[in-house]
Amino acid sequence: MPDTSPLFVASDIHGHYDALVEALRDRDLVDEDARWTGGAARLWILGDLFDRGEEGVAVVRLLRSLAEESAAEGGSVDTLIGNHEVLVLGSRRFGDVAFTDVDGQDRQFLHWWVLNGGFEDELGDLTEDEVEWLETRQVMHVADKSLLIHADTESYLGYGRSVETVNAAVRAVMSSDEPEEWWQLFRELTRRHEFLGEGGPARVRGMLRTFGGEELVHGHSTIPDTTELEPSQVTQARRYCEGLVLNVDGGVYQGGKCLVVRLD
């Protein structure tokens, strides 16, 4: 039987703990003490918990607490892996070790993480248990009629032709000690804007045929960056691509809102 409990999504928290808590509170999912009040509701964060804001570790700990509290009430809270998770975890695992990517370019995870808004204190603040939890999250998930992914790209198809296969392939990368494979995963999850323009609907329909769902829901590319709206003007998710795609990234690190969107 299909799950009829309320389904909420948010994305790209980027270390903005207070903004996330406020948005969850507005949806009656947490109380004044940031404890779960959503009952049997389901909440998915579509990746990018870290960087550009300084409380990424606090966001991780909040989500893990809410996962336990919600499960006790028949609900659930979980997060997908975004490109910034790959970057922070790669930086923690490989640091400033130099390696060469598939294009022959010299790379260092730590260098690129700092360039992308990382805070070095967070590498030491993450516990081994939290690292293991992050490394074992899914990279895509189908909930009801919605295909949930982080980035607006077809690159997931390069890792498999089913949700289970893609998640297993990404988990294998994130359990490996090969920085080149981690870097390629980071690159693939950094691609964006592939559902815009004339070819967008065909690409999305191909994703939905392959992985399931009737709509595709993503973050990664902020709504201000893909429209003429200023961050302060974004008050709701953006549906586009002939109605097939929903972008839920309000651009919190740009001064926009953290959007917690009910899908059903």
Side-chain angles (χ1 to χ4, degrees), residues 9-263:
V9 296
S11 190
D12 295 80
I13 311 306
H14 284 297
H16 289 70
Y17 175 93
D18 290 340
L20 173 61
V21 171
E22 179 181 356
L24 294 175
R25 193 177 294 138
D26 288 344
R27 286 293 195 176
D28 295 323
L29 294 174
V30 302
D31 62 18
E32 292 298 317
D33 297 319
R35 295 187 64 82
W36 183 255
T37 56
R42 294 165 290 160
L43 171 65
W44 279 91
I45 310 296
L46 308 185
D48 280 10
L49 311 181
F50 295 90
D51 310 334
R52 298 173 178 163
E54 298 186 32
E55 296 186 277
V57 175
V59 171
V60 169
R61 291 172 182 169
L62 171 67
L63 294 179
R64 296 191 75 187
S65 294
L66 294 180
E68 292 184 7
E69 295 164 11
S70 62
E73 299 185 27
S76 63
V77 175
D78 209 338
T79 185
L80 297 180
I81 293 169
N83 58 308
H84 281 259
E85 277 69 56
V86 179
L87 200 52
V88 68
L89 293 170
S91 296
R92 196 177 189 278
R93 181 178 290 246
F94 303 111
D96 58 2
V97 172
F99 61 93
T100 304
D101 68 14
V102 294
D103 297 321
Q105 300 294 314
D106 292 336
R107 302 295 186 188
Q108 291 178 337
F109 264 99
L110 188 60
H111 172 73
W112 277 90
W113 179 58
V114 173
L115 284 180
N116 279 268
F119 297 88
E120 291 196 45
D121 288 349
E122 293 203 310
L123 294 184
D125 290 343
L126 279 171
T127 68
E128 291 294 335
D129 183 59
E130 289 162 349
V131 168
E132 181 180 359
W133 181 79
L134 286 165
E135 289 178 349
T136 55
R137 296 306 89 200
Q138 298 179 75
V139 75
M140 64 189 330
H141 180 74
V142 176
D144 301 339
K145 66 176 183 179
S146 302
L147 173 62
L148 309 181
I149 59 177
H150 172 67
D152 44 332
T153 174
E154 293 180 290
S155 62
Y156 299 89
L157 291 165
Y159 289 92
R161 289 297 188 270
S162 71
V163 169
E164 295 77 15
T165 301
V166 172
N167 284 327
V170 170
R171 191 163 293 136
V173 170
M174 300 190 74
S175 64
S176 77
D177 290 318
E178 301 296 332
E180 297 84 0
E181 294 185 10
W182 279 71
W183 183 260
Q184 190 61 30
L185 176 61
F186 167 67
R187 286 180 53 165
E188 297 297 341
L189 294 183
T190 304
R191 289 165 52 180
R192 65 179 75 240
H193 299 165
E194 295 181 6
F195 308 141
L196 298 174
E198 293 183 2
R203 294 188 182 99
V204 173
R205 289 189 177 97
M207 293 275 287
L208 296 175
R209 282 196 302 271
T210 301
F211 298 121
E214 298 176 14
E215 66 172 358
L216 186 151
V217 184
H218 72 82
H220 187 53
S221 298
T222 71
I223 295 171
D225 281 352
T226 52
T227 66
E228 296 181 354
L229 295 173
E230 295 295 324
S232 61
Q233 296 175 305
V234 176
T235 59
Q236 61 185 6
R238 178 197 179 208
R239 189 168 290 281
Y240 70 103
C241 196
E242 297 183 358
L244 295 170
V245 181
L246 191 69
N247 182 356
V248 300
D249 185 357
V252 66
Y253 74 91
Q254 298 172 321
K257 290 178 66 65
C258 178
L259 302 176
V260 175
V261 180
R262 181 165 177 171
L263 294 185

